[in-house]
Amino acid sequence: MSLNTLEEIAQYIVSDGKGILAADESNPTCGKRFDSIGVESTESNRRDYREMLFRSSGMKDNIGGVILFDETIRQNAQDGTPLVDLIKNQGALPGIKVDKGLAPLESSPEETLTQGLDGLDERCKEYLTLGAKFTKWRAVIKISDDIPTDGCIQANMEALAKYAKIVQDNNMVPMVEPEVLMDGNHSIEKCYEITSKSLKMLFKCLKDEGVNIGGTILKPNMVTSGSIAESQASIQKVAEMTVQCLKENVPSDLPGITFLSGGQSDVNATAHLDAMNKIGGFSWKLSFSYGRALQQPSLKAWLGKEENITKAQEALSHRAIMNKLAANGAWNLDLE
Ligand code: 13P
């Protein structure tokens, strides 16, 4: 498959049920993950961990793209091979997180606006030379009693659209991530309402900016109950409401929707994806762009020890295989 156009790149990443490994944790976030296994977050430990992931045999055929953090796209493996080349050798495309994280929103300081439009064009030009084929920008929408405000949704979706346009002008595929957080005790209906509102605004802004939808990937949350809500929606209900919300708001020429896992357990994230693909009836590929739900079992097996590398790689491979099955609606719990 040639990968000359934005459309071809986007389609390749999600071809045949492949998905994305999100390994773009910032250094502070990586530090939190390493704290949980008692490993110090040094540059070389972060490199060793990511090298271990990218050399896993299950990357091949199951992972179409890997999102990296700025530090990682510049790092070499222990034998001197650029980590970007390890990814390409597995048949996956390197991607890069280009936003600069969250800052309080002026008009409503308990909410956030994602930063990073300043200098984005220059950063894109450099990342392209470093091998990046796609990029990611994450906007965060929080649900609580009086939030999100309309201003927060609008400001974040406008920024996502401006980002996407700049990235496409630099010949990379923008992944747009409007994450409605699971945190809270809200109902699944509330999550539906806010996710729907955010997606509507996002696609309006993308259109206004002249973004090519056929060369864009959407990375949304699933429609779920709040993480501490007393009543938790079933797998089937999450799948049905998520598919309905996407059908209502996402244009049919978008090539791929790759979900974030957002704090779901690894098996739940797979089960939800599988249930949605079993429902079917949509034109986009419905796949995964998981961070924690792909990496967690591998991180726990690794523990920073060389002798655990094989076990840790098997754990990542297993999750990658399970999620590709789910992206084809061909997974079941017995396979776990
Ligand atoms: P999780 O799947 O752990 O939510 O991470 C995905 C991601 O890239 C968040 O921006």
Side-chain angles (χ1 to χ4, degrees):
M1 185 173 190
S2 70
L3 295 176
N4 297 321
T5 66
L6 296 177
E7 286 86 348
E8 286 168 349
I9 293 169
Q11 285 164 17
Y12 175 81
I13 292 171
V14 292
S15 53
D16 312 320
K18 285 199 286 254
I20 294 172
L21 168 62
D24 60 324
E25 298 84 3
S26 64
N27 291 346
T29 302
C30 197
K32 274 192 248 163
R33 308 276 189 266
F34 279 14
D35 280 350
S36 74
I37 54 164
V39 169
E40 200 189 338
S41 180
T42 60
E43 180 175 350
S44 65
N45 284 342
R46 291 191 292 270
R47 188 273 311 271
D48 290 348
Y49 174 64
R50 267 96 180 220
E51 176 175 354
M52 178 279 290
L53 295 176
F54 303 160
R55 286 190 190 276
S56 302
S57 62
M59 289 272 299
K60 219 174 202 112
D61 300 327
N62 302 306
I63 301 294
V66 179
I67 320 174
L68 302 170
F69 185 60
D70 181 77
E71 175 183 275
T72 322
I73 200 170
R74 303 168 193 280
Q75 279 176 322
N76 294 332
Q78 284 195 25
D79 68 2
T81 313
L83 292 185
V84 163
D85 288 351
L86 295 186
I87 292 168
K88 289 192 213 158
N89 292 341
Q90 296 277 25
L93 303 181
I96 181 83
K97 183 220 298 285
V98 298
D99 69 66
K100 295 273 194 187
L102 312 174
L105 183 68
E106 235 168 78
S107 59
S108 170
E110 63 174 313
E111 300 182 284
T112 58
L113 176 60
T114 303
Q115 306 294 302
L117 289 172
D118 286 348
L120 177 59
D121 185 58
E122 291 74 23
R123 295 207 299 289
C124 283
K125 288 185 167 46
E126 190 198 2
Y127 287 138
L128 188 69
T129 67
L130 293 172
K133 295 283 186 199
F134 72 104
T135 66
K136 181 189 108 170
W137 177 290
R138 173 174 176 255
V140 173
I141 306 295
K142 253 189 290 188
I143 298 179
S144 186
D145 291 344
D146 309 319
I147 59 172
T149 58
D150 289 347
C152 174
I153 294 178
Q154 180 161 349
N156 273 290
M157 301 311 136
E158 282 174 0
L160 268 169
K162 289 201 171 84
Y163 138 81
K165 179 69 177 130
I166 293 170
V167 167
Q168 288 191 338
D169 287 346
N170 282 288
N171 298 313
M172 292 183 287
V173 166
M175 172 178 246
V176 288
E177 180 178 9
E179 177 174 5
V180 177
L181 294 180
M182 277 175 76
D183 305 0
N185 61 3
H186 51 272
S187 65
I188 187 168
E189 287 77 17
K190 182 75 186 175
C191 179
Y192 186 105
E193 176 202 327
I194 301 302
T195 303
S196 182
K197 203 171 182 178
S198 303
L199 290 174
K200 247 184 209 76
M201 178 61 72
L202 173 62
F203 283 99
K204 180 194 176 296
C205 293
L206 290 172
K207 193 165 175 224
D208 290 350
E209 283 291 330
V211 172
N212 169 4
I213 296 297
T216 301
I217 292 178
L218 173 67
K219 174 165 177 162
N221 53 286
M222 296 179 196
V223 175
T224 64
S225 312
S227 54
I228 55 167
E230 242 168 68
S231 143
Q232 289 289 319
S234 66
I235 299 283
Q236 192 58 26
K237 175 112 179 161
V238 168
E240 282 167 11
M241 288 184 70
T242 304
V243 167
Q244 191 187 333
C245 186
L246 293 170
K247 278 188 172 173
E248 210 175 274
N249 294 295
V250 181
S252 58
D253 54 341
L254 185 94
I257 299 177
T258 59
F259 293 102
L260 59 96
S261 59
Q264 294 181 32
S265 74
D266 49 354
V267 174
N268 267 358
T270 305
H272 285 141
L273 181 62
D274 179 68
M276 285 186 248
N277 279 295
K278 283 192 165 93
I279 294 171
F282 35 78
S283 56
W284 353 270
K285 295 273 198 235
L286 221 52
S287 188
F288 57 94
S289 174
Y290 296 158
R292 284 161 287 179
L294 274 171
Q295 294 183 42
Q296 202 62 16
S298 186
L299 182 76
K300 294 275 182 248
W302 178 59
L303 299 175
K305 298 200 172 91
E306 188 123 359
E307 65 263 30
N308 293 336
I309 285 181
T310 306
K311 237 178 20 188
Q313 289 179 324
E314 282 166 6
L316 178 77
S317 295
H318 180 66
R319 292 264 46 91
I321 293 165
M322 292 298 107
N323 283 305
K324 183 183 183 177
L325 286 168
N328 285 309
W331 172 88
N332 67 67
L333 193 54
D334 297 339
L335 297 167
E336 290 289 341

